Amino acid sequence: MLDDVEHRGKSVDAAVARMRKVRTYLPAHRDWAEEAARRYLAARSAFLHERHVLGEPETRPADEEWVVIDSLPEPDARGAARYERTAWGRRYATPDGSLRELWLPSVNVVKEDRPRAEVAEAAAVAAEGVPAHSEFRRPYRPVRGSVTLPQRVRVVAVGCGDGITAVLADRTREEAVQDFRAHARPVLARVVEGEKLIPGSSCVDCEALATCAEPPRVRQLLGVRAPRRPRRRRSVSVSDLRAHSQCPARFHLTRVLHLRSGEPESAAIRRGRAVDNWLNERHGAWREGSCRDTAPPDALPGLAEEEQPVALRLVRHHASRCPVAHLAADETVRVQPRVTAYDPDLDVIVIADADLLYTQHGGWVWRETKTAARRVWEGRPLLKAYPQLALAVLLLAAGVPGGDPRRSRVELEVLHPDGAACEELDPGDSATVDEARAALAGLAAGWALDEEYPAKPGDHCVGCEAQRWCAPGRAQVEG
């Protein structure tokens, strides 16, 4: 829609009408897109007015990408003879080319905390890049004609959800180049030279997955057969599957498209995050003293005064059960590690973020710590109540992340204001593995086949982050 308005001369209403004819988008996605486009254009108009008042020249949409092309006289040690650097965003320039702007939209609120290296690289591409065309799997081709490099560049962040703009960089070309050399070049060098395999959601688009040693292959991990109609490779986590089972539309909007209204988080979520952050900090420094050896804090950051007492009780309850308190010095502790596996039967990257992974006597212990307002209800099977435990059982049983599965175990620690409870699961027990497989398959079956993501209104619509753009959800709440 923005391209229609800024590059093709269409009105906003015409761009919206064309977008709404595309039926492959969810209705809620279309509602958000119209709102985001109008808000972006309003923010852009306000920014131009502000700069006009300051006596600055107007910038207009630039048609071509800006690309920094470095051609080497002969291939380097990696076999590369050419490097291209680009910067994603929306491009604007004055008619004489003396000023370039690169606008970086974010889906929801304006993102002002981008790493300095990222901002320096964006500014450098705007300062040194030449207009160029891109073709699939082909090098960029510079546009013919004289190229006027700008005297000044500006990097602007804008939120499509709040319409707020923030200038991240406003520099001369020389300053942009110097900043690139100081902050961005070292990061780019590490990226280009790095050979470490870091599996994760980026494996979805990797063409080398078939021959890569990572992530580990675990056949039938989700226990679901591939759909008859081929699907693009995807990644998924247990929290994704839970979100889909509750409401497919909410899953697609918040987990796939990352659309959220920005409503304040609940007290329970804030409390859980504050407790987790403190535990993670202590577990990361376990050699200097465990939670059991450290005096509890007087307050936890991010919580209001009235929220502190309950949160601090949870911290104290954990101290008596801290799993790293008596570990030998040669053991390994990983705090909130990302564990990734590939289900080749379903062609899905499965991702799990464990709260804590630590070695003990040759095996791995996978611990999940949950905070709750009350004791755990014992009437529901544990692996169905906490399906992340089911995934942990199956991964450990398959030898992920390593170690001896016979010496490994899964732990669940539940902290509540009146105390704490801890349960253990054995990934070497066939009955436990079967139960875990059934629990995970039951959760994944609907997600694996879904292509339409319909709304499933219910009590969960109250407080839903995507309710703003979901007509069935709004009707549910209003009713």
Side-chain angles (χ1 to χ4, degrees), residues 6 11 25 40 53 57 59 72 86 100 102 190 228 268 314 336 340 358 429 438:
E6 295 187 330
S11 68
Y25 305 142
Y40 178 94
V53 171
T59 56
L72 308 182
T86 65
R100 286 180 179 176
L102 184 67
R190 290 197 295 270
R228 293 181 179 180
L314 300 180
Q336 287 202 319
T340 305
Y358 62 96
D429 177 63

Side-chain angles (χ1 to χ4, degrees), residues 39-48 50-51 92 101-106 108-112 154-168:
R39 187 169 282 116
Y40 178 94
L41 292 169
R44 171 84 185 143
S45 178
F47 187 88
L48 287 176
E50 178 184 319
R51 294 294 162 173
Y92 306 90
E101 289 178 352
L102 184 67
W103 282 48
L104 308 179
S106 45
N108 299 304
V109 299
V110 63
K111 188 176 180 180
E112 298 185 63
R154 188 178 288 142
V155 179
V156 182
V158 56
C160 292
D162 57 14
I164 296 175
T165 58
V167 177
L168 304 182

Side-chain angles (χ1 to χ4, degrees), residues 99-257:
L99 170 65
R100 286 180 179 176
E101 289 178 352
L102 184 67
W103 282 48
L104 308 179
S106 45
V107 172
N108 299 304
V109 299
V110 63
K111 188 176 180 180
E112 298 185 63
D113 59 346
R114 296 179 185 270
R116 186 167 184 178
E118 182 180 337
V119 177
E121 166 64 354
V125 168
E128 296 187 289
V130 298
H133 293 290
S134 64
E135 295 180 6
F136 183 65
R137 292 184 178 275
R138 300 290 298 171
Y140 276 91
R141 292 186 296 107
V143 175
R144 292 183 178 180
S146 61
V147 176
T148 301
L149 292 179
Q151 300 171 11
R152 193 166 196 87
V153 295
R154 188 178 288 142
V155 179
V156 182
V158 56
C160 292
D162 57 14
I164 296 175
T165 58
V167 177
L168 304 182
D170 192 342
R171 298 167 185 151
T172 65
R173 184 170 74 248
E174 292 75 16
E175 290 171 341
V177 172
Q178 291 174 2
D179 210 34
F180 164 78
R181 291 172 179 169
H183 302 287
R185 177 182 282 171
V187 177
L188 288 174
R190 290 197 295 270
V191 170
V192 172
E193 295 171 359
E195 296 180 350
K196 183 179 179 181
L197 298 176
I198 307 177
S201 58
S202 58
C203 295
V204 167
D205 299 315
C206 183
E207 297 177 1
L209 180 64
T211 57
C212 185
E214 294 283 352
R217 273 63 172 165
V218 183
R219 304 206 62 155
Q220 280 291 303
L221 176 58
L222 295 184
V224 179
R225 292 184 178 181
R228 293 181 179 180
R229 214 166 78 163
R231 297 290 297 271
R232 181 178 177 272
R233 184 183 300 143
R234 296 176 287 173
S235 66
V236 72
S237 66
V238 168
S239 58
D240 291 336
L241 297 177
R242 294 186 71 170
H244 182 274
S245 67
Q246 186 181 62
C247 177
R250 182 178 188 176
F251 156 79
H252 188 72
L253 292 169
T254 62
R255 300 281 176 157
V256 179
L257 302 180

